[in-house]
Each structure stands twice: as structure tokens, then as C-alpha cells.
Amino acid sequence: MGLASLSANLLFVSFIAYLVATLFFGGAVKGAKSEASYKNNRWGKIAITITVIGFITHVGYFITRWMASGHAPVSNMFEFTTAFGMMLVGAFILLFYLYRTPSLGLFALPIAIIIIGYASMFPREITPLIPALKSYWLTVHVITAALGESILAISAVAGLIYLLKNIDLTKKTKQRFWLEAVIFTLILVIGFVLSSSAFKLSGYEAQFTYIDKNEQPAKIEYNYPPLFGMAGYESLTPDAMTPWAEMPPIVNAKTLTTFVWSVASGILLYLILRLIFRRPVAALLQPFAKKANSQLMDEIGYRAVMIGFPIFTLGALIFAMIWAHEAWSRFWGWDPKEVWALITWLFYAAFLHVRLSRGWDGEKSAWLAVIGFVIIMFNLIAVNLIIAGLHSYA
Amino acid sequence: MSKIKCQCGHDNPFGTVLCERCGRPQTEEAKESKLVDMRYEGAARRSQTYKRSIIDKIWNFFSSVKIGISIIVAVLATAAIGTIFPQKMYVAASTEAEFAAYYERLYGLAGTIYYKLGFHDMYNSWWFITLVGMLGTSIIIASVDRVIPLYKSLKKQRTKRHPSFMKKQRIYGEGPSEDPEAALIKAEEKLKELRYNVKIENGALLAEKNRFSRWGPYVNHLGLIIFLFGILLRGIPGFYVDETMWIREGETRSIPGAEGYYLESKQFIMENYTKEEADEVFGDALERVGMIAKNYQTDVALYKTPEGGLPGSDEMDFVKDYSIIVNKPLKFDGYNVFQMDFRLDELKSMTFQLTEKATESSLGEFTVDLTNPEREYELDSGARVILSDYYPDYDGVKDGEPISKSPIPNNPAFIFKMVTQAKPEGEMSFVAIKQTLETEVNDYKVKFVSAETRDISGLTVRKDKTLYLLLLGGIIFMIGVSQGAYWNHRRIWIQKGSNGELLVAGHTNKNWFSLKKELDQVKDVANLPSYEDRQDKESILQDKEVDKV
């Protein structure tokens, strides 16, 4: 039990460290006049030190969990997403030392915090490996792919800062709408984490039997009050609420219920913010981005794609194909996860081409970086939870 | 086509934008623009020059990066549509009608439309394959169109460039210098320290590093072409084998696609994680999920018919014993055999007892091998049971005849003829699982005693001669993409102006901030004039504010 609980504690320490470091990065940005003047700010130095400490404990979590389970901790949603958050922070630290800009930390760390929070909503116990995952390629493929994705994600962070700084939020424009939509999506994730934690703390449980897609009886447990019932459901928990509607067999009503609860709490959270501040949430964040240098953010965004793209190719396509050949007898099988990795790759290839030969830098490039992150997250979340395929291990 | 003669005297090929030697702009457009477009060094490209014949037009179409990007986006979009509902290969159906029914049953109208449009087999559809083919063509043509002129002009570049070239660079500065000669020498020293290749000619300096990073895109495109070519080869017979085989425990079968090879299945093993080994670490997970599979394994022996052996003879040489596990295929002679599937507890044989109904006394037992049954069974008592008909997968009676769904003994049924001393003519009895039917009342019956089962392994046999080519393509792609991504081609020009002032210009294909960091170091050592990054308007503005203060 020693290692597993040590591992959990280390993760908690790193979570707190990232929270504290965000505040210090905020202090660094707030006290500075412009990009040039806050480069060697004291607040910034404290902030990066705390970030590095957080990162080291995060790596400590990873290693101790690896030792406890005997396999690289990247085998389910919780483990993968947590590792992704860790690498995101690592990629930020790398780019911080290349360009020394606290603005990046101020936005990268909160995103890492949201990602770790999201990861913690999935079952956290250590699972033994199923036969398909028993291979050293699990370690090699997943870690490289996650590393590539996390570096690509930094480009979205830089893009977000660029957009927050350069989009005029006083006028009603398409850009303002979409930027607010990006922020709103982040708030939805926070809504999911909050509502899920709340119901978990209250110990809510409702069990049902239902008929699955292949017309077999099955059992399911909800952790949220069941808004939607599975096809042919029958309640096993007497005092649970009666679902509003019964879903057809292809719809996972439990996922839908979770989704609706998250969206509802996200909207509630968003409305509260709007009511208190009476401004778009993007406008609240804008002052924190104002001091960043646009050209620098553009370059960081591009550089992150340049560093991340080859690693992503290696991990998510080449290593993936080699392993797929070993495990599933074919190197490519058009499994949804594979297809979405290819889509991500094609997207970034297009990104590089439009930037190089059509001169799409600045705002266009920033938007593309944000869309790239959306695709990566879609592959991580939606493809795993909705479009079930061979990769659904969560 | 005629050559373009530059003022410096150099003959440039038709279509040149910037003189290959001195860098003077050659077109009106280039002369007027504030910043010179440094992509492909302003060299003449076929696609920008010849526009007449049909070949020119095709060439120009595919060499356009805009078209290339459009194709990428089209592939991306079609690929995404293919993931909305499961693809054909993941659907358990075999006929078109079954597929149609499947999509309709699960996804309703949307499913029917999806099926009708052929999206259920997206990646084998002609339009998807055409798009990928167009992408390949675009990669080849666009690369050739650019790499040759780029190579030539980087090779031909002169140290001394015309001031008009310098002035149109993104990084540019000019200013008086007390001792331009000394400045050049100091700059040379510092630049060499920064690992630049430095050349000085006639009071002009050119420092350059990592030119090879410019070839990265072309190398990685070559890798992609090799990869796509490898996939094309799979269509040729013999390059690619993909077969499935089901093998029962104890059976020896020839391996489909691999002539002369035989596989014997010794046993199939399936294991789950147990509570004991789960202990503290995995305990919670097992508790929540229930059963978690640990291992699927088929223990096999591989045999080969000897070379020159007689066809049809049973002679086989033992090659090796192996345990095929998921992730550990059996490998031989370019073939791979994978553990893919299994079926547990297929009926192997059934043992029956012939009994006299009135006394319940036994006349002896016999065992029917369900895959290879015998016609007649002699019992110890001298009685005989004749198997007059056998239905391995009994599926009811149709037109008065029992029928069998498949040759697999899922639900065996028998028609026995029982020949005893008392009834030498024999009595007929239909025996299926849990039922016995008689045409007339018999004195004897066949009673089920026990059954023996065995497991079947589903194996996939693959041979893919293109794999090494695909791997080669992948490796070349990785080399090219790293070369282009992790190194930057940087150039710094410093030269004396006509009035003893110094001109400084810099260019890089990416990461301008890093170039500026290096240039700052050189500037401090050699007292170079200060420069501007003409695209970084914010810093220019801030610098001006600082100056005012």
C-alpha cells in the first residue's frame, strides 16, 4: 500500500504547487510594464521554482505508481490524462527556459490544473493490464504520443494568449464570440469536475439493469442522478430518481447523463461569473494577456508545433503502427482512435503548410493552434467515451 | 525562354525574382514591396514560369501548396466522417443486406443514409483512394518544383549582396561605423564562435549556418512518397497475405497462405487475474470491474513438409514449439501468426449409453467424435449402434427433414439405428440435446452420458513484404522532419556601405527571436549598428517609448 498511497500524495502536492505557482506568475505579470521588463522579475523566478518543484513531485507520482503497478502508468483514462498534464507542465518549463516569459506560465498552469482535475474524475485505482496492453510498446508508444500532444498543446496556450491580447473585446465580432466560446468550454470542464466531485462526496449511487447494443442484459451504476435511462432499464436502487427518458441502445445514457449534468453546472458557473462581473469572461482574462509580446507568442506557438509535431508523428503514428502490427496483426486498421491521430497529424501538417507558404501567422495561426488542441482533446475524450473502438480502455 | 540579365551582369533563368548572385529584385512586384519574399530565395520555379501546355497546367495544379492543403483538408474531413458510425470491418455481418439492416437497426435513418452513401466502407471507397493518390502526386510535384531552384540558388549565393536586397530583409539595420574593417573582423570571430560558416569578400560578410535544415521538408516528403509507394505494392499478389484460421485443441491444420506449413494446436489457455495475486495493488480494480483478462495463449507446434517430399504424403518435419500470446506472434519465414480470437468449450465428443427402457439395464457405452464421427459402434454386449445421420448444428426441422446450420458442432443431433439381439432389424431414434424422438415406440434408447469439450483458437496469418519499405519511409520521414524542425537555417549579412557606414541584415527560416539573440551578441562585440525586426512592431514601439524616457 505504501507506494500507491505515496504516489497519490505526490500528485496532490504537485496539484497544489501548480495552483500556487499560477498566483506567482500572476504577480510577475501584474507588476510588469511590458514583456521586456518582466523577464527577470523576482515573482517570476519564485513562480518557476515552484512549478519545477511541482513537476518533480508529479514525476515522483509517475515513478512511484509505475513501481507499484509494474507497468507504465498510462493504461487508463486517469493515468493517461494525468501523464498528459505532467508533460504539459514539462513542455511549458522547456519553453519557459527558451523564452523566459511568465505570461505563458500564467495560462499554461491553469490548463494543466484543469486537466489533472478532469483526470481525477475517472476511477483512480491501479488496474492490471489486459493481454492487448502487455507490451513494452505500451510504454514507448503512449509516452511519446502524450509528449508530442502536450508540446502541441503549449502552442494552443500561446495562441490563446495571442488572441486574448489582440482581439478587441469591446466590439461584437465573430472573433469575440469564438474566443468566449473557448473560455466557456474550459468552464464546462470545471463544471464537470465540480459537479462530479460534489456527487462523489455525497456518495450518490444508482444501479440499473438494461439491455445492451448486442441485446444482452447488462448492469450499470450511475454516480449522478439518472436523467436518462439506458435502453430497457430497470432500477435496482429503490430511492433513485426515475430517469426522464429512455435512450435507444446505441446511446450510453450514463455518459449522456454525466454530460448534461456537467454542461448544466458549467452554464450555471458561467452565468454566475457573468452576473458578478457583467462582462464576457474573456474580458476578465484579457488584462493578464495584455503584457505579452504578440510576436513572441506567435513564435512560441509556432516553435511548440515545430518541436511537438515530429514527436507526435513518432509516437502517435510510427510507434503506434509498429505496436498495432505486433498486437493486432495489422499496422493500420482504421480504428477511430487511429483515424483521429491521423486527422490530428494532417491538421498540423496543414497548419505548417499554410504558415510557411501562405503566410498565415499571427491571429490565423493562433486560431489554428487552438483548433488543434480541440482536435487533440476530442481524440482523448470523445473518441474514448463516445465513439468506442479498440482503444476504449477507460 | 530568354534569360534575365541583372545589373550586376549575372544571367538569371526566366522567372527569377531575386538575382541569384547579388539579390537585386528583378520583378516590378519585388522592387516595390517593403520586405522581400525569401521563400525559395526568389528563384525561378517551373510552376510560376510556364503556363501554356496541358502538362504545365497539371504541373502547376499539383505544385500549388494551396491545392496541397485543400487535399489534406479533404482527406481529413472524409477520414473524420468515417468515424461517425463503425466501419464495415467492425460490424459482425457478411452480406450487404445484413450490413444495411445493421446500420438501420442501430442508427435509424442516419445509419441508412450513411450506408447508402458508402461511408460505412469509407477508406476503401474510390474517392478516398483518389484523394490519397492526389495527395501523393501533389507531394512529389510540389517538392520537385521547389527543391531544385532552391538548391541552385543557395549554392550560387554571393557574399556581397546588393544594398537593395539587404534593405528588404525583415531584420535590418544601418549606421555609421568608426572602423568598419575592424568591425567585420570582430564579427567574424564572434560568428565563428557561434558556429557559423563565415565568408568575407570585398568588405562584405556572409555568415550562414545549418543550411541542411532547408532540405528537411524535401527529405520528409521523400519518406512519405516511399511510404505511399509501399502501400501501393500491397496490391501485388505475393507481397501480402492476410488469412484467418480456426484451430481446435489437438488438431493439425495446414496454414492458409503459407504453403507447406502445418500448425498443431496443443492447447488454448485463457487466464483471468485472481484475487490472490491481485492483493492490495489491483484489489480495488478487480472489485469494481469484476473479471479482468490476463492472458490468451495458444501452445502450438509448427511443422513443414520436407522439400522434394511427395505431394499428398503425410510426411512432416517438426520445426518448433511456440506459445502464441497476444503481442507475441509466432514468426517464421516472413510469416506472422497472431493470437486474435478464441471460442471456449466447443463440443468435442459425446458419450452415450444404449439402455433397455423396461429394465434400465445398460448394453454398453460408446463415444461419438463430433468432428469426425464413425458410422458404426460395436458395443461390449454385441449390440451395434449405427449412426445413420448426423446434424452438427441442428436447427429444427424444415420440409420434414432435420437441418444443420453449420458444420460446427454447436448443437449436435443424431439419428441412431439401434441393432440388438431382440430387435435385429434395428430401431430408429432421433437424439438431440435434451430430446429424443421416435417414429414408433422403441424398446431401447440411446442415453446421453457425458460430453467432452475443447477450445478453439482464432489465429491470423500475415505476411507483409512491404513492411520494411514502410518502415524505411517512416525513418526517412522522421529524419527529414527532425532536420527541418530542430535546426534553423540562419544567415547574417554585414557589409560596408558606400559612405563607410555598416549595413546589417539577417534572415532565418524560423525562430527569429533566437536569431536576434545571436545577432545581439555579435552586435555587442563588433559595435554593429542597431537593427529592427520589422515584423515585431510592439517591441519597436516599446523601444521608442524607452528612448523618450
Side-chain angles (χ1 to χ4, degrees):
Chain A
M1 202 60 201
L3 274 175
S5 66
L6 173 64
S7 165
N9 289 333
L10 283 172
L11 182 63
F12 185 67
V13 171
S14 67
F15 186 80
I16 299 296
Y18 297 151
L19 273 175
V20 175
T22 308
L23 296 179
F24 275 90
F25 276 125
V29 171
K30 195 162 175 271
K33 266 183 133 178
S34 71
E35 186 76 47
S37 65
Y38 66 33
K39 261 190 178 163
N40 292 308
N41 179 299
R42 243 190 55 214
W43 286 78
K45 278 185 185 157
I46 298 173
I48 191 68
T49 312
I50 300 174
T51 310
V52 171
I53 293 171
F55 181 67
I56 291 170
T57 53
H58 206 158
V59 173
Y61 141 83
F62 193 76
I63 293 172
T64 44
R65 191 171 170 105
W66 192 328
M67 286 157 67
S69 67
H71 60 258
V74 288
S75 66
N76 59 33
M77 267 305 255
F78 164 70
E79 290 181 338
F80 179 84
T81 316
T82 311
F84 177 69
M86 173 178 85
M87 291 174 198
L88 186 75
V89 176
F92 156 66
I93 294 173
L94 171 80
L95 283 153
F96 182 86
Y97 281 110
L98 285 175
Y99 292 104
R100 302 213 168 252
T101 166
S103 296
L104 192 63
L106 184 56
F107 286 88
L109 288 184
I111 301 229
I113 291 168
I114 293 177
I115 288 174
I116 299 168
Y118 175 77
S120 314
M121 298 304 113
F122 289 91
R124 269 173 288 177
E125 68 263 12
I126 298 177
T127 11
L129 291 182
I130 59 167
L133 292 181
K134 278 189 184 168
S135 166
Y136 57 84
W137 285 108
L138 170 71
T139 315
V140 179
H141 155 65
V142 183
I143 289 180
T144 328
L147 185 66
E149 288 182 348
S150 65
I151 301 173
L152 291 172
I154 289 290
S155 110
V157 175
L160 187 63
I161 300 173
Y162 186 100
L163 295 174
L164 275 174
K165 173 170 177 166
N166 289 293
I167 287 175
D168 184 356
L169 293 174
T170 57
K171 289 197 196 92
K172 219 175 169 177
T173 54
K174 253 195 316 203
Q175 283 93 329
R176 187 180 85 165
F177 172 79
W178 285 110
L179 185 61
E180 189 68 5
V182 169
I183 308 281
F184 176 69
T185 315
L186 291 174
I187 293 175
L188 284 190
V189 181
I190 299 174
F192 164 70
V193 173
L194 291 180
S195 59
S196 179
S197 309
F199 283 115
K200 211 174 264 180
L201 281 177
S202 72
Y204 190 89
E205 253 178 40
Q207 291 182 326
F208 292 90
T209 56
Y210 70 100
I211 307 297
D212 75 5
K213 213 163 81 165
N214 304 319
E215 289 159 358
Q216 298 299 315
K219 225 175 166 183
I220 198 160
E221 187 187 307
Y222 285 58
N223 306 102
Y224 282 91
L227 303 178
F228 303 97
M230 306 289 287
Y233 70 86
E234 259 167 65
S235 179
L236 296 176
T237 318
D239 52 345
M241 75 171 265
T242 313
W244 292 342
E246 184 181 324
M247 290 291 117
I250 49 156
V251 177
N252 185 332
K254 182 187 169 183
T255 310
L256 186 66
T257 300
T258 310
F259 182 74
V260 170
W261 273 108
S262 314
V263 171
S265 25
I267 291 175
L268 190 68
L269 190 60
Y270 181 78
L271 288 178
I272 292 171
L273 287 173
R274 288 295 295 255
L275 274 176
I276 296 175
F277 296 102
R278 304 200 166 268
R279 269 190 300 166
V281 183
L284 293 177
L285 299 173
Q286 193 163 45
F288 297 103
K290 269 294 178 202
K291 282 161 193 161
N293 177 310
S294 307
Q295 200 67 38
L296 183 68
M297 288 307 135
D298 184 54
E299 180 160 327
I300 292 176
Y302 180 40
R303 185 107 187 235
V305 174
M306 268 300 189
I307 299 174
F309 184 70
I311 300 176
F312 179 80
T313 312
L314 189 66
L317 294 174
I318 297 183
F319 288 161
M321 286 189 212
I322 297 175
W323 187 17
H325 180 258
E326 289 285 313
W328 296 324
S329 88
R330 80 288 183 290
F331 69 91
W332 192 262
W334 299 107
D335 173 65
K337 193 91 174 179
E338 290 175 348
V339 178
W340 277 93
L342 178 69
I343 288 172
T344 311
W345 185 80
L346 287 171
F347 178 83
Y348 281 100
F351 173 101
L352 293 174
H353 283 93
V354 286
R355 191 174 166 111
L356 285 169
S357 71
R358 309 219 60 79
W360 281 29
D361 50 10
E363 195 182 316
K364 283 178 180 167
S365 173
W367 278 118
L368 289 180
V370 171
I371 296 171
F373 184 64
V374 171
I375 296 179
I376 290 176
M377 286 296 111
F378 183 85
N379 199 3
L380 173 63
I381 298 168
V383 175
N384 264 38
L385 304 181
I386 301 169
I387 315 177
L390 292 170
H391 276 83
S392 301
Y393 300 124
Chain B
M1 289 281 175
S2 62
K3 300 258 176 192
I4 301 175
K5 199 173 185 78
C6 176
Q7 282 165 282
C8 73
H10 182 73
D11 279 331
N12 290 297
F14 183 74
T16 302
V17 181
L18 299 175
C19 172
E20 289 172 333
R21 226 167 66 160
C22 72
R24 267 194 193 90
Q26 302 294 314
T27 60
E28 285 309 312
E29 199 188 338
K31 279 175 193 158
E32 271 160 32
S33 66
K34 258 196 171 155
L35 286 182
V36 77
D37 183 357
M38 286 292 283
R39 281 181 294 132
Y40 322 115
E41 303 290 306
R45 279 164 48 202
R46 190 190 195 285
S47 62
Q48 306 299 307
T49 312
Y50 303 101
K51 294 179 176 169
R52 280 216 207 116
S53 70
I54 183 92
I55 292 182
D56 291 342
K57 284 196 176 129
I58 293 173
W59 180 276
N60 296 352
F61 178 78
F62 281 111
S63 76
S64 154
V65 174
K66 200 172 163 182
I67 296 294
I69 296 164
S70 313
I71 300 172
I72 292 178
V73 172
V75 174
L76 186 158
T78 25
I81 293 171
T83 61
I84 297 178
F85 298 139
Q87 286 288 299
K88 191 180 164 186
M89 54 255 196
Y90 294 108
V91 172
S94 49
T95 64
E96 286 302 315
E98 278 172 34
F99 282 119
Y102 175 88
Y103 286 98
E104 196 185 343
R105 176 170 70 86
L106 284 179
Y107 309 105
L109 181 64
T112 306
I113 296 170
Y114 198 78
Y115 171 79
K116 284 262 164 69
L117 290 175
F119 291 171
H120 69 303
D121 197 13
M122 180 67 89
Y123 310 111
N124 294 313
S125 66
W126 63 266
W127 67 83
F128 188 77
I129 293 168
T130 310
L131 277 176
V132 174
M134 282 170 73
L135 188 60
T137 317
S138 163
I139 291 171
I140 297 174
I141 294 183
S143 303
V144 173
D145 192 58
R146 287 167 176 77
V147 70
I148 296 169
L150 179 66
Y151 175 77
K152 282 187 186 157
S153 57
L154 280 177
K155 215 179 152 195
K156 278 186 198 154
Q157 62 175 327
R158 272 289 186 82
T159 309
K160 180 145 188 159
R161 291 295 179 109
H162 192 259
S164 64
F165 173 84
M166 305 273 287
K167 279 179 188 156
K168 290 184 179 193
Q169 294 298 320
R170 176 174 156 182
I171 287 190
Y172 178 71
E174 61 178 52
S177 170
E178 284 163 21
D179 186 356
E181 294 293 338
L184 281 183
I185 289 168
K186 275 186 194 153
E188 179 188 18
E189 204 174 296
K190 184 67 196 174
L191 283 162
K192 278 190 173 153
E193 200 185 302
L194 293 169
R195 279 177 290 158
Y196 279 83
N197 295 318
V198 189
K199 279 196 287 182
I200 298 189
E201 267 174 40
N202 303 329
L205 174 150
L206 165 62
E208 184 178 15
K209 76 167 160 194
N210 300 335
R211 189 195 285 179
F212 78 100
S213 110
R214 294 291 285 273
W215 314 131
Y218 309 102
V219 175
N220 78 46
H221 284 173
L222 176 71
L224 290 177
I225 295 296
I226 294 175
F227 188 89
L228 289 176
F229 177 71
I231 290 177
L232 213 63
L233 277 186
R234 304 161 122 246
I236 300 173
F239 268 92
Y240 184 60
V241 172
D242 176 10
E243 303 276 355
T244 348
M245 70 187 282
W246 288 91
I247 186 165
R248 301 178 170 93
E249 282 174 318
E251 258 182 344
T252 303
R253 302 182 80 100
S254 71
I255 301 177
E259 210 170 307
Y261 283 101
Y262 291 83
L263 207 60
E264 178 193 351
S265 166
K266 296 191 169 161
Q267 63 167 339
F268 174 79
I269 301 169
M270 180 185 139
E271 291 166 289
N272 287 319
Y273 287 95
T274 57
K275 286 264 188 278
E276 294 85 64
E277 69 184 325
D279 56 50
E280 292 137 4
V281 182
F282 299 138
D284 293 347
L286 279 179
E287 189 105 328
R288 186 173 63 87
V289 188
M291 213 115 80
I292 299 179
K294 183 184 180 188
N295 187 26
Y296 304 119
Q297 168 179 346
T298 307
D299 290 340
V300 296
L302 179 69
Y303 299 95
K304 189 185 179 182
T305 48
E307 269 173 56
L310 289 171
S313 76
D314 289 342
E315 204 184 332
M316 285 197 291
D317 292 342
F318 170 79
V319 183
K320 63 176 165 184
D321 279 325
Y322 192 79
S323 297
I324 305 177
I325 309 176
V326 179
N327 273 310
K328 289 204 178 75
L330 164 70
K331 297 182 181 176
F332 63 92
D333 194 19
Y335 293 92
N336 287 300
V337 181
F338 299 88
Q339 174 66 50
M340 292 301 284
D341 205 349
F342 59 87
R343 258 187 245 135
L344 293 181
D345 303 328
E346 185 194 81
L347 286 169
K348 182 189 179 200
S349 62
M350 287 173 112
T351 302
F352 298 95
Q353 192 180 54
L354 183 66
T355 45
E356 189 182 11
K357 279 185 181 174
T359 57
E360 294 251 324
S361 63
S362 166
L363 278 82
E365 291 187 355
F366 63 98
T367 299
V368 181
D369 180 337
L370 294 174
T371 35
N372 206 2
E374 282 169 47
R375 283 281 298 152
E376 211 176 302
Y377 301 86
E378 295 273 350
L379 303 188
D380 295 340
S381 59
R384 285 182 302 144
V385 177
I386 297 164
L387 178 57
S388 39
D389 243 319
Y390 170 46
Y391 310 95
D393 199 359
Y394 173 61
D395 191 31
V397 179
K398 204 175 169 187
D399 305 331
E401 284 285 317
I403 49 161
S404 179
K405 253 197 311 206
S406 73
I408 300 157
N410 290 328
N411 183 23
F414 313 86
I415 295 178
F416 289 122
K417 188 176 182 185
M418 301 164 284
V419 183
T420 48
Q421 268 176 334
K423 297 268 177 148
E425 261 96 88
E427 291 175 322
M428 302 298 276
S429 168
F430 176 83
V431 179
I433 290 172
K434 287 190 184 153
Q435 61 169 324
T436 305
L437 296 174
E438 293 166 357
T439 38
E440 40 198 85
V441 181
N442 293 336
D443 292 347
Y444 295 91
K445 69 171 184 183
V446 169
K447 203 174 105 190
F448 170 75
V449 178
S450 65
E452 220 183 301
T453 62
R454 59 184 166 180
D455 303 332
I456 324 174
S457 310
L459 306 174
T460 291
V461 184
R462 288 265 178 163
K463 177 181 188 166
D464 195 342
K465 282 188 183 169
T466 65
L467 279 183
Y468 290 99
L469 199 62
L470 300 180
L471 190 63
L472 178 75
I475 291 171
I476 292 178
F477 177 84
M478 280 315 298
I479 292 173
V481 81
S482 313
Q483 181 179 343
Y486 299 140
W487 280 273
N488 318 299
H489 180 220
R490 292 176 185 160
R491 276 176 295 174
I492 293 169
W493 295 273
I494 307 171
Q495 59 175 264
K496 278 195 292 183
S498 44
N499 303 318
E501 79 274 26
L502 272 179
L503 311 180
V504 183
H507 183 262
T508 177
N509 57 343
K510 59 181 187 297
N511 302 342
W512 293 79
F513 277 82
S514 312
L515 173 72
K516 286 190 272 180
K517 264 193 236 162
E518 289 187 337
L519 191 52
D520 284 340
Q521 294 181 44
V522 181
K523 187 184 124 192
D524 291 344
V525 173
N527 285 322
L528 300 178
S530 55
Y531 63 88
E532 274 179 0
D533 175 350
R534 275 114 160 232
Q535 257 177 38
D536 186 7
K537 304 221 167 64
E538 285 169 21
S539 292
I540 295 172
L541 224 68
Q542 280 163 14
D543 288 347
K544 278 187 186 146
E545 277 165 15
V546 173
D547 288 346
K548 270 186 228 159
V549 175

